Amino acid sequence: MSSNRAADTGLPALQRRPEERISRRSFVAAAALATAVPVAGAATPAAARSEPRTGAAAQVPYGGRQHAPAEPDFGPNVTVFDPSMPAARIQAALDAAAAEQVTAEFGTGRYAFLFKPGTYDVDAQLGYYTSVAGLGLSPDDVTINGAVRVEGQPQPGGGDSALTNFWRSAENLAVVPADGINWWAVSQAAPLRRVHVRGQLFLFPGRAASPAAASSPTR
């Protein structure tokens, strides 16, 4: 009888009773499922956390806290203004560029001034190689109370001339001239694009000249 019990316990798996084989398979399947499906709240493997993300998801850290994107660095020749900045600080930057660039026809200076949507009380005189632009969807998203102007250059024999006023631009903003007139005395390569002048626009040099080339308002 003892030999029969030994033989019974030593039966191969295929010769065991069906219910024993099913029970063993169920245990193995449950163990495999437990290792494949992580428990809720368990730590995610590092490899999964390092997968790259694109679009809006890339702006949100894995911890879930969203941070404002850093201001882009356009280099030392580009200045971005926003309405929270003191007007005196903005005016000082514009004046410094004008003092350098108004007569620098063959100079190496290059300036771009970008205005975020809002209202600014400044007088922007543009010299050579200088651009100003609003960053709104519409020109009226950025309003300059003052001027965005180009003046004629004094001539040796008297009077002003705009024949050599090249290489500057203004675009995508609105101007409310302080004295009702905005001056844009240029020759060529000096576009005035998508600008809403809420007043008169003079396209010639010399503030004492006849306002024969004025229009009001101008876009």
Side-chain angles (χ1 to χ4, degrees):
M1 180 179 297
S2 61
S3 61
N4 290 337
R5 285 197 300 269
D8 181 64
T9 57
L11 286 174
L14 293 177
Q15 298 180 16
R16 292 176 185 166
R17 291 189 295 274
E19 59 271 18
E20 291 181 355
R21 294 199 301 269
I22 294 174
S23 176
R24 182 176 181 80
R25 290 196 194 100
S26 300
F27 174 78
V28 173
L33 183 62
T35 58
V37 180
V39 178
T44 306
R49 291 198 304 269
S50 62
E51 291 181 358
R53 300 177 298 168
T54 59
Q59 302 298 324
V60 182
Y62 286 101
R65 182 177 300 174
Q66 187 169 5
H67 301 283
E71 288 285 350
D73 182 5
F74 294 114
N77 299 332
V78 179
T79 304
V80 181
F81 299 128
D82 69 67
S84 67
M85 296 178 178
R89 174 182 168 188
I90 299 175
Q91 190 64 59
L94 296 171
D95 288 346
E100 177 184 340
Q101 298 300 115
V102 164
T103 59
E105 182 175 355
F106 301 105
T108 58
R110 304 290 186 271
Y111 293 92
F113 297 105
L114 309 180
F115 291 82
K116 293 183 179 181
T119 300
Y120 303 82
D121 297 325
V122 294
D123 176 7
Q125 181 178 5
L126 278 61
Y128 289 98
Y129 314 110
T130 303
S131 294
V132 299
L135 298 179
L137 295 177
S138 164
D140 289 316
D141 289 342
V142 174
T143 298
I144 306 295
N145 291 322
V148 176
R149 60 189 173 91
V150 180
E151 302 283 352
Q153 299 197 43
Q155 300 300 296
D160 295 336
S161 173
L163 292 179
T164 59
N165 279 352
F166 312 134
W167 309 316
R168 63 204 79 192
S169 67
E171 59 186 296
N172 199 42
L173 46 79
V175 183
V176 181
D179 59 358
I181 301 172
N182 196 81
W183 295 79
W184 192 258
V186 297
S187 177
Q188 55 186 317
L192 189 67
R193 303 187 191 97
R194 299 185 75 232
V195 174
H196 182 188
V197 180
R198 300 177 194 164
Q200 292 183 301
L201 176 65
F202 284 11
L203 303 175
F204 52 87
R207 290 185 176 271
S210 170
S215 60
S216 175
T218 301
R219 283 186 183 272

